[in-house]
Structures are given as C-alpha cells and as structure tokens.
Amino acid sequence: SSNVVTNMARFDAAPGSQLKPAKVRYHQVDGNSLTIGHVVSKTPPPPGSTSFHSVEVVHAGGPVAERLRRAPRIDATYPVRFHELPETGCSPAREFAAIFEVLEGMMLAKANRQSLVLWVGRPDKPELDGFAGFLGMLPFRGISVALVSADAVRYPDPFSYRTPSGVLEHDANDPARMGKCCVSAMFGPLPARSFTARLREWAPIDVQPPAGCAELLRLPFKIAGLPLPMITYAGEYEKGVAALAERISAAYPAGSLCPIVSCGEVVDRLGYGLDVLAALRERGHAGHYFTHKSGETSKRWAEYGKPELLGWVAQAKAAGQTPLFIAVGGGCNGNATGVVAAMTGAAFVEVPTTPLHYNDATTSAKKAFSLVLDGKIRAKNLLGTFYLPRLVWCINETFLTSSTASVHSTVGE
C-alpha cells in the first residue's frame, strides 16, 4: 500500500510536460517579386527530409496567386500544383467542406508528407488567411505549410487561426494539440521577425478516486508528460453514467457548457449516448445529440460536417458557452468526433464502449478521417490531427455488448 502511494507520487511528479514551444519565422517579401522558389528555400523541410516532394499552392484568387501562377519556373525539380479554395460565404459547413475538398484533391494528386502546402492570401480578404492553419493541422499529420500573407497592416498569428465564420478555430498554445504548430514559415510585406508559442497549462477534468473506492480505477497514463485521466468505472451502469455527468458538471460552471453527444447507429440503438445526455440535462446542461453511420467506411468528413452539428457549435459560441463533444461508442466515433472537436476548438471527452477504443484509440491522441471514395477506403487515417481528450470514462458494463470480433481485434492491437 505505501509502495503504491510512493510510486503514484513519483508518477504524478515526473517527468512533467515534454512539449516544446513552437517557433515560426516571418520573412519580409515584396509580393511583386515573390517566387515559389524563394518560399521553398526559406521554409523548413519536414523532419527527415532535405527537400520537398511537391508544392501544393492553395488560394482564393487574388493578384499574388495569379502572379505566381503566371510566373515561369526556374527550378523544375518538384511539381507545382494550384488548388483554389471554394467560396464559403462564412458558412461553417461550407468552410468545413472546402478544407477537405482541397485536401482530398492534394491526396489524389499524390501529395505526401514531404510536400509543401503554400497558402497565398489576398490583400482585400486577410481574414481568409485562417484557412492556412487548417491546411497544416489536418493532412498527413506532419506536412509543412507556408503562409504568404498580403496583409500590410498586421502580422498573422502563427499559433491561432480561425475561419471567417469564427466556428472553426485552432489554438496551438493549447496543450491538447500536443505542441503541434500548423505553419512552418510566414511571408509578407511587414518587417521580418520571429514568433514563439506560449503553451498554457494542461487542464484536464481531473478525477481522483476516493481512497478505498472499488468502483473507480484511474489508469496511470501520460502522453508527452501530460496526465490523461483514464477512468474505469466497475460499478453498475446507471451509477457510472450518473458519476460521469457529475464529474463533467463539476468541471464547468452552471450555464457555461453546451454538451454535444456523438455516437454511431449501433450505440444509438443501445441507448448509451442518450443516457449520457439525459444525465447531463438533469444537471442543468441542455445539449444536443448527433448520430452518424457506423463503421470504418463511414469515417469520412462528409458524414460529420453536417450543418446542424456545426450550427450547434456556432450557437454555443455566440452564447458564450463552451462546446463539449462527448464521443460515446467505438474507436471510429472517437477518432472522427475528435477531429470535429479539434477543428472547432471545442472541449473533448471520450466514453469508449468497446475495449479497442479504450485501449488504442484514446491513448494515441490521433484523431482522423479516412479518404473514402465510392464506399471504399483509399487511405486510412491520413486526414487527421492530434487532440487530447480532457477525460476518458469507461463503464465496464458497456463491454458486455461488444462482439467477439471486437474483443479479438483488441487483443491483436
């Protein structure tokens, strides 16, 4: 008993966060003389590489993009492809779709982790520069992005991005993003300077089981030195749902939370998601319930980028509330719901109902969609990011509805 206490004290104290603040350089350039070769020479290549495989230029029109398109290529050692961002009209759903349509186009054109994504801004629409952050956050979980800004008034923030609607947002100072910075280099008309991220303290929903409590077990798990509360509830199912709602309610002041419970068709029929939402509503947190198709072939962005889902996030933000995505179900649901949470800057909680979700999908911090075309998976988990849940809460009794195939795949993992 004393040894366990001592070992847990050591576990809690060491090694501390291993995340390093990102640094980004802003290079002063004249838009009239800017070349793709100059951007390539000043942008750090991806880890393990000394050059870029291709340059994928993304733009929304404008004079700088048109000038680059017409400019003759001096160095033809890598292909250069242009991708135009579709018009979004400040619609969160159209913004969401536009980002993935561009990224899928890159993937189908054979872009990879050694490619450079180059966002080219417009002088009359600097608010569009926020899309650069999402182009760097999502594809291949490690691609390099260069931001060419035409804004002559203010510097882009290399660590905080949002789309014109304000619903999609990314903050690299949040440790839930594992210290990942979307943009590798910036270019524009302002004087050159460097930026350094200021990582905030990691603030999970900290659950410490009371002494002698046999129903609650906290697994000692850290990732990059950050403690991830992983709770196994070994008591009755109904009490486990109530205990989860109590912990979430205690973490957020009354009226400040907008829970969005997400689950697939199977879990919807089992009622697990509705039970969680009902328990939160009993405690004063009115929220929403989102269902989607189940299975790996449904782990695609179009299944989750629904106007009603993103509309709920918009309403919550407009009301000054914190959107909280609660993924109830298996690993596909946790992965895909986590991407939406990451793209909207929402809080995130996972309630795994399969052993594979609990032992694999929650602990990797990877959240991703697959490239699915005509009902077939063309590339698995390539459109993704890293995003930590604030809490993982597993009720053991939900495993009783797992199939033998799910159990066997867990052992295989």
Side-chain angles (χ1 to χ4, degrees), residues 45-51 114:
S49 301
T50 57
S51 61
Q114 279 69 52

Side-chain angles (χ1 to χ4, degrees), residues 6-18 221-227:
T6 302
N7 289 337
M8 285 306 300
R10 291 179 58 194
F11 172 83
D12 291 333
S17 173
Q18 300 300 293
F221 183 81
K222 287 185 178 182
I223 183 166
L226 303 179

Side-chain angles (χ1 to χ4, degrees), residues 26-373:
Y26 180 100
H27 303 270
Q28 186 176 31
V29 294
D30 179 356
N32 292 318
S33 59
L34 176 70
T35 66
I36 292 175
H38 179 71
V39 173
V40 169
S41 69
K42 296 294 184 181
T43 303
S49 301
T50 57
S51 61
F52 292 104
H53 170 264
S54 69
V55 176
E56 313 293 332
V57 182
V58 185
H59 64 95
V64 181
E66 186 58 31
R67 194 176 301 115
L68 287 176
R69 185 193 291 275
R70 294 198 311 263
R73 288 289 312 282
I74 299 175
D75 178 5
T77 58
Y78 45 82
V80 176
R81 292 180 282 259
F82 284 77
H83 311 264
E84 185 164 2
L85 187 80
E87 177 62 42
T88 62
C90 286
S91 162
R94 289 167 66 181
E95 291 172 344
F96 189 92
I99 291 167
F100 284 103
E101 287 170 4
V102 168
L103 294 176
E104 283 191 348
M106 290 182 197
M107 294 175 68
L108 294 173
K110 306 300 185 183
N112 58 33
R113 291 186 183 181
Q114 279 69 52
S115 296
L116 171 64
V117 175
L118 170 56
W119 168 262
V120 181
R122 295 179 53 153
D124 59 332
K125 295 184 178 181
E127 67 276 10
L128 296 179
D129 287 349
F131 281 101
F134 295 94
L135 297 171
M137 178 182 111
L138 291 165
F140 324 118
R141 305 191 303 278
I143 203 166
S144 295
V145 173
L147 165 59
V148 175
S149 173
D151 192 340
V153 178
R154 60 179 63 86
Y155 291 97
D157 185 337
F159 311 115
S160 180
Y161 298 92
R162 63 175 53 199
T163 56
S165 72
V167 174
L168 305 185
E169 61 176 306
H170 178 284
D171 182 4
N173 295 304
D174 182 354
R177 299 187 185 276
M178 302 294 296
K180 302 296 181 182
C181 181
C182 296
V183 171
S184 303
M186 301 191 297
F187 302 82
L190 300 175
R193 58 163 294 188
S194 295
F195 295 82
T196 302
R198 297 181 178 180
L199 291 172
R200 296 190 294 273
E201 290 292 323
W202 171 231
I205 300 177
D206 193 23
V207 176
Q208 297 294 342
C213 179
E215 294 180 333
L216 280 180
L217 172 66
R218 175 167 176 161
L219 303 185
F221 183 81
K222 287 185 178 182
I223 183 166
L226 303 179
L228 177 59
M230 297 186 65
I231 304 299
T232 299
Y233 190 88
E236 297 176 1
Y237 168 78
E238 291 79 6
K239 292 182 179 179
V241 172
L244 168 63
E246 287 290 346
R247 295 316 193 282
I248 292 176
S249 296
Y252 296 92
S256 69
L257 183 67
C258 177
I260 301 173
V261 175
S262 171
C263 63
E265 297 165 313
V266 175
V267 169
D268 175 42
R269 290 195 291 269
L270 291 169
Y272 296 150
L274 286 171
D275 289 342
V276 171
L277 184 58
L280 287 168
R281 285 176 171 171
E282 288 175 1
R283 289 157 180 80
H285 300 292
H288 304 280
Y289 186 63
F290 176 74
T291 61
H292 53 82
K293 294 180 181 178
S294 299
E296 287 285 351
T297 56
S298 295
K299 197 166 73 172
R300 54 194 183 95
W301 65 264
E303 187 67 36
Y304 292 78
K306 305 295 186 182
E308 64 270 22
L309 178 61
L310 296 170
W312 295 334
V313 177
Q315 293 171 12
K317 291 185 176 183
Q321 295 179 312
T322 299
L324 169 64
F325 279 92
I326 305 174
V328 183
C332 289
N333 173 63
N335 261 218
T337 302
V339 175
V340 182
M343 291 184 69
T344 55
F348 183 46
V349 166
E350 295 191 67
V351 184
T353 61
T354 66
L356 186 56
H357 183 190
Y358 192 28
N359 290 284
D360 175 60
T362 59
T363 57
S364 68
K366 174 266 297 172
K367 308 302 168 191
F369 292 128
S370 296
L371 177 61
V372 182
L373 299 175

